[in-house]
Each structure stands twice: as structure tokens, then as C-alpha cells.
Amino acid sequence: MTVRGAGVALAMLLATGTIGAGAPASTSQHVAPPPLDYSLSASWAKRPAAQPIRGKDVDVFYIHPTTDRSVDRWNQDVADAQVNRWTDESVVARQASAFDACCRIFAPRYRQSTAGAFPDPVIRKAAFALAYGDVLGAFDEYMAHDNGGRPFMLVGHSQGAVHAARLIEERIDGTVLAGRMVAAYVVGIGLSQGDFGRTYKTVRSCETPAQTGCVVGWNSILPGMADKGKFAALLETAFTDRYGDAPGKALLCVNPLTFDQAKPAAPRRASSGAAPGDPGFGPMQKLRPHSVSARCENGLLVVDPAPDLNLKPLPNGSLHYHDIGLFWADIQRNAVQRSKAFRKTHPR
């Protein structure tokens, strides 16, 4: 957790130049917000009824990215209704919804690390540890009381992907749960090719669009990013800080227009539908097909979106905030495809 958390924190600081700006509270001033009780519906952004939903025989456990940009606290107090509303409308409704066609969605609230905790490594370590503890508690509650032996997907973006990556390592890899995991979408962090076989002993990266029990990931940037190599190297620190400058540090990039590692590039005509505009309050705008091309290049996903999508990149050309929205319909289609493939090989 600390290594991968550090990697994503540094990458975000480079990408934005602003996240975490300001002076976070000192270590002596921090008081953890009250813990959550995941048996209560208020502790979840989404938690469907216990009974099966027709046509949705797979679950998704979704972990949202950083949505609390406070600098006066390390971790979100989930009683903060304004942050909860921003979380629900800017990411839960725009990211988790891509899996709604196939799956019941479970999305916990958690005492996420705030942006203010990112700059200081000591504070960041403590903030991520508290946040992961909540995610783990929510996952265990889901497994104990909601899952009922059903197949599931794990989905996380940015900070949520940090926690998802650790969940795979500590709760799924090499266990019976690995046999029920349809796929994991771990997006917007530094997953390296060498993590598969080292960090994860049994779980592998997805090589084909219908493969199951595997992991996909990517980091979206514009073609004009000034220093792609520096950005990639920063993301690779999640691997190199743990294993050294060893073979395998190259980033995992699975192109979400193809979900096929043998097809690392795809033109705009392959795009099923991208979400226009920036994440924010209110409903997602109508999807626009054939609006983005993408290619994996040195571990990064180089994306060329149509101008009328009106997307705002981060200052250095990263499209981090659009990692999911750019490929919303493509992800939806792939989730359905993997769900069907899993059911063919794992009949009831």
C-alpha cells in the first residue's frame, strides 16, 4: 500500500501541479473521523437489495477515486454531505454506471485520503492506511452478507485503484475468491507488467477481451504530453520502489478500445461512446461514438479525443480524470462480454 500509494500520489502531484496545494494539518493535529458501520446503508453510495436482479448475475465492488480536496484534514469525514454529493455525481454516477448493464454495483463510502494528505509521505502513509482499512471492512461486509457466492468484478480508479490493487494482493490472489473474480479494472495508477508473477502470484493481466480472472489497467494522456518518459517513470516507482530497477517495471497498458494486448492501437471508429465534458454535478451528457482514438505507447495510453468532447486535460497533458469516461461504452460492452464468458465456463 505505501509504495503504490506513494506512486499515485507523486504522479498526481506531477500531473496537476495543484492537488494537495496548501499546508495540511501536522501529525499532532490529526484526529481521525468516526469509523463507518458497513452494515448500515448510509455507509454505502450504492448497495442494492439483497435479492438477485434479473439479468445481473455478476456483482461489481467499486472503489471511487479521490474526491475530497480538503487541505485541513487527512481523511474525509463521511458525514460531509457536500463531498458525498460530489462523489456520487462526479464519479459514482459516471464511472460505476458503466457496469450497470451486467452487474449489481456495490460502492462503499470510505474515509478517503484527502488531497491535503498527499504531499507529505508520513501523512500520506497514515491517510492511505486508514482509507484502506475502511475499504477492506466494506469488502469483507459485502462478501459476508451480499455476495452469496456470486461472481464479481473489482473496479477502482486512482486512489480507488490503489486500494483495489492491495485488495487483489491481500484478499484475492491465490484464494478461492480468485476463481470467482470475473475481472478487475484497476485504472489510473502504476501497475507494472512485472507485478504479475511477483506482486500477484496467480492473478494475471488480461490479454484478450473475453479473458476472466485477470486485471486491466491504463493511464490516459494526450499526444502532446511534454515529458511522457518522466511521467511513465514516475508511475513505475510503484514497482521499482518495491523490487528495484528490475525487469518488468514497464507499465501495464490495456487499450480499452480493444481490450486486447495484441491490438495496442485503435482508431476513432472503434470507439463505442465517450462521455463529453468534465466530471461534475448533474447527469452525464449523452455519449458520443467514434470520438476518440487510443494507442499504448511505452506503457501509457496516448489518447486523441475529438475537440467537441470539450475535455480539460491536467496541466501536463494527462487525461487522468477522463480515464473511464473516454471509454464508457467500451467498458460497458467489455464488462458484459466478460460476464457472459465467465458464465459459460462457470455455469450455475
Side-chain angles (χ1 to χ4, degrees):
M1 183 282 302
T2 57
V3 170
R4 207 166 293 285
V8 73
L10 290 169
M12 285 303 297
L13 285 168
L14 173 68
T16 66
T18 57
I19 193 166
S26 71
T27 54
S28 62
Q29 295 173 319
H30 179 62
V31 178
L36 288 82
D37 180 351
Y38 286 105
S39 69
L40 304 178
S41 60
S43 297
W44 297 80
K46 290 182 75 69
R47 189 183 192 184
Q51 63 267 27
I53 301 174
R54 185 179 179 87
K56 298 184 180 183
D57 52 4
V58 172
D59 291 343
V60 162
F61 188 85
Y62 166 81
I63 312 165
H64 70 74
T66 305
T67 53
D68 189 337
R69 297 191 178 188
S70 303
V71 297
D72 59 350
R73 59 189 181 193
W74 302 359
N75 295 86
Q76 183 201 348
D77 184 342
V78 295
D80 189 325
Q82 184 69 5
V83 173
N84 289 343
R85 183 189 167 208
W86 176 252
T87 301
D88 294 348
E89 296 187 23
S90 71
V91 291
V92 176
R94 294 164 185 266
Q95 293 186 350
S97 60
F99 298 86
D100 193 54
C102 64
C103 307
R104 299 190 307 174
I105 297 171
F106 293 81
R109 302 200 186 283
Y110 66 102
R111 291 173 293 178
Q112 61 176 295
S113 172
T114 67
F118 276 47
D120 186 293
V122 174
I123 291 176
R124 181 173 64 243
K125 177 179 178 179
F128 267 76
L130 183 69
Y132 176 73
D134 283 358
V135 170
L136 182 60
F139 184 75
D140 288 347
E141 169 73 18
Y142 157 71
M143 281 295 172
H145 299 286
D146 296 302
N147 177 265
R150 290 160 54 94
F152 68 96
M153 298 184 193
L154 192 61
V155 179
H157 180 243
S158 195
Q159 180 177 166
V162 172
H163 303 313
R166 189 175 176 188
L167 270 180
I168 297 170
E169 182 179 1
E170 296 185 357
R171 277 291 194 270
I172 297 171
D173 186 51
T175 75
V176 295
L177 290 182
R180 299 214 314 268
M181 188 179 78
V182 175
Y185 297 74
V186 183
V187 181
I189 64 167
L191 276 182
S192 287
Q193 295 175 20
D195 279 314
F196 301 93
R198 299 191 76 163
T199 306
Y200 310 118
K201 302 300 190 293
T202 61
V203 173
R204 295 292 180 258
S205 63
C206 299
E207 295 185 0
T208 62
Q211 185 179 346
T212 61
C214 55
V215 180
V216 300
W218 62 86
N219 290 276
S220 307
I221 65 168
L222 288 173
M225 174 178 272
D227 198 338
K228 299 182 181 71
K230 183 178 180 181
F231 188 63
L234 192 58
L235 289 167
E236 288 169 357
T237 60
F239 180 87
T240 58
D241 285 354
R242 188 169 185 175
Y243 301 114
D245 191 10
K249 70 179 181 179
L251 296 172
L252 173 69
C253 179
V254 178
N255 188 335
L257 291 183
T258 67
F259 284 103
D260 188 336
Q261 291 201 47
K263 299 177 180 177
R268 285 185 183 177
R269 64 176 179 273
S271 168
S272 300
D278 291 325
F281 291 120
M284 189 169 66
Q285 297 180 44
K286 185 179 178 180
L287 298 175
R288 297 183 187 176
H290 315 308
S291 293
V292 57
S293 65
R295 68 182 187 276
C296 289
E297 182 180 295
N298 297 323
L300 298 172
L301 187 68
V302 180
V303 173
D304 187 13
D308 63 1
L309 285 176
N310 294 317
L311 306 181
K312 293 179 183 176
L314 295 173
N316 76 332
S318 169
L319 286 169
H320 183 76
Y321 293 154
H322 305 284
D323 278 327
I324 303 296
L326 278 164
F327 311 103
W328 193 99
D330 305 286
I331 293 168
Q332 180 186 66
R333 182 175 60 183
N334 183 249
V336 171
Q337 182 180 15
R338 291 191 200 272
S339 296
K340 290 179 177 178
F342 186 91
R343 278 307 187 191
K344 285 183 179 179
T345 56
H346 300 77
R348 295 181 184 85

